[in-house]
Amino acid sequence: MGVLFSAASREFEIIRDDWLRSLEEIAARGAFVGGPPVARFEQAFAGYIGTSEAIGVGNGTDSLYLILKALGVGPGDEVITAANTFIATVEAIHHTGATPVLADCRSDDFLIDAEQVRRRITSRTKAILPVHLYGQIADMDEILDIARERGIHVVEDSAQAAGARRKGKAAGSFGIAGSFSFYPDKNLGAIGDGGGIVTSDAKLAASVRKLRNHGGEVRYQHDVPGFNSRLDPIQAAALELKLKHLDEWNRARRQVAGWYEHYLGPIGGIELPRHRGDESHAFHVYVVRVDEKARDRVRKQLQKKGVLTAVHYPLPVHLTPAFRHLGHQAGDYPVSEAFAGQILSLPMNIAVREEDVALIARELASALGAIHV
Ligand SMILES: Cc1ncc(COP(=O)(O)O)c(C=O)c1O
């Protein structure tokens, strides 16, 4: 037996024939950068998210960076984001020259604590960058209120939350812009790297379109110093096809989460993730917590039984060598730090079946029962 952690290849099988046909069309036309597949996907994605524009870029790190650059974020500015996130969020802020200011996560749902965001606002704060971590939409009402009071921007790191909706509104459409990663195992994943920016701000969209393409939309017309970060048409063709399945696939993920709740609920020693029970969680990953003395041994035992798990993420950003220069100490973000030792991501993808979850629950119970902490 074996339960895959993610199922990008299963998703690929579903779009395979149509995607191969698109590839033939791209090759026949000979336009290997940009072109109709990118424009078509951008239009479809904007329509899906409910923004007036979507702009395809090279990956989800560039998308964050390009949004911040287009908003004029730079040296001397501060951008507040989550201590508990993938390092890319903080890297993007760093590379603009601004200072990343971190806020700890809440102790029940892993999401950025809006109260801490409020306390970290200074006269230099240029933007708040909430992360819809693990696929769940952060507390946008609070965060938008804080931003409105202070006249600062909200940029959503929606890399993990494609298709999550709160009261009908999609992740990425709350702030001035939303940033997506189409890394293959994301809920909307390409078959290589890819990223996307959504916004209804025409000026910001125009600026990002230039920045992603050497500073201009027309060849050899360079209005600003730009970058090369474009969504590949071969990826755009795959994404356009996958987008049509996204709601159904997110429903499948929520079903898997429901099974986990049913089968893991009665087992002692596991803390299940709190969520709102609606579409605001797209369950990019399903993260439980176990005693930190048991976590790594539990992982090994599950692996022996063919159940692959992961840890998102083993070290909070402020304790990584990359961001030591921010000057934080162990203890500065106690919730994120404690969680880093306890979290365990269980298989979550469209191929997980109820019997897989039942089996994972049995193995987890036996692994936890066998470990006396
Ligand atoms: C929260 C978050 N932000 C940003 C990124 C960066 O995306 P990419 O890997 O496409 O650069 C990722 C994904 O890896 C992510 O999970």
Side-chain angles (χ1 to χ4, degrees), residues 62-99:
D62 284 3
S63 60
L64 288 166
Y65 173 70
L66 294 176
I67 294 168
L68 295 175
K69 288 296 279 185
L71 289 173
V73 172
D77 296 330
E78 294 174 353
V79 177
I80 302 175
T81 194
N84 181 24
T85 183
F86 181 54
I87 197 161
T89 321
V90 184
E91 287 174 320
I93 299 168
H94 169 84
H95 286 298
T96 64
T99 302

Side-chain angles (χ1 to χ4, degrees), residues 59-62 64 85-86 88-89 131 133 157 159-160 181-183 186 193-194 313:
N59 56 68
T61 311
D62 284 3
L64 288 166
T85 183
F86 181 54
T89 321
V131 182
L133 197 72
D157 187 343
Q160 304 185 356
S181 164
F182 303 130
Y183 185 80
K186 293 290 194 272
D193 274 312
Y313 300 92

Side-chain angles (χ1 to χ4, degrees), residues 311-344:
V311 173
H312 298 91
Y313 300 92
L315 196 60
V317 175
H318 66 286
L319 300 180
T320 61
F323 286 100
R324 196 167 287 150
H325 63 273
L326 293 179
H328 296 300
Q329 317 291 328
D332 284 356
Y333 299 95
V335 183
S336 298
E337 288 168 29
F339 282 5
Q342 302 166 355
I343 47 181
L344 176 66

Side-chain angles (χ1 to χ4, degrees), residues 135-137 161-166 169-171 250 254 279-282:
Q136 181 160 219
I137 296 184
R165 287 175 189 276
R166 178 94 177 114
K169 209 167 153 51
N250 281 344
R254 280 193 276 272
E279 294 182 326
S280 62
H281 205 327

Side-chain angles (χ1 to χ4, degrees), residues 78-86 89-90 93 99-107 109-122 125 127-133 138-139 142-143 146 316-319 326 328 331-337 339:
E78 294 174 353
V79 177
I80 302 175
T81 194
N84 181 24
T85 183
F86 181 54
T89 321
V90 184
I93 299 168
T99 302
V101 174
L102 307 178
D104 210 349
C105 63
R106 300 196 286 212
S107 58
D109 63 6
F110 305 108
L111 297 173
I112 188 168
D113 182 338
E115 206 28 61
Q116 292 207 19
V117 171
R118 188 185 288 282
R119 289 207 296 272
R120 283 166 173 71
I121 300 268
T122 71
T125 309
I128 306 172
L129 183 32
V131 182
H132 303 315
L133 197 72
D139 188 356
E142 260 309 288
I143 290 169
I146 298 167
V317 175
H318 66 286
L319 300 180
L326 293 179
H328 296 300
D332 284 356
Y333 299 95
V335 183
S336 298
E337 288 168 29
F339 282 5

Side-chain angles (χ1 to χ4, degrees), residues 134-177:
Y134 305 152
Q136 181 160 219
I137 296 184
D139 188 356
M140 294 312 294
D141 288 344
E142 260 309 288
I143 290 169
L144 289 168
D145 275 354
I146 298 167
R148 225 174 279 120
E149 283 164 24
R150 313 299 294 232
I152 54 180
H153 299 301
V154 174
V155 175
E156 300 165 67
D157 187 343
S158 312
Q160 304 185 356
R165 287 175 189 276
R166 178 94 177 114
K167 297 178 187 154
K169 209 167 153 51
S173 68
F174 289 86
I176 188 161

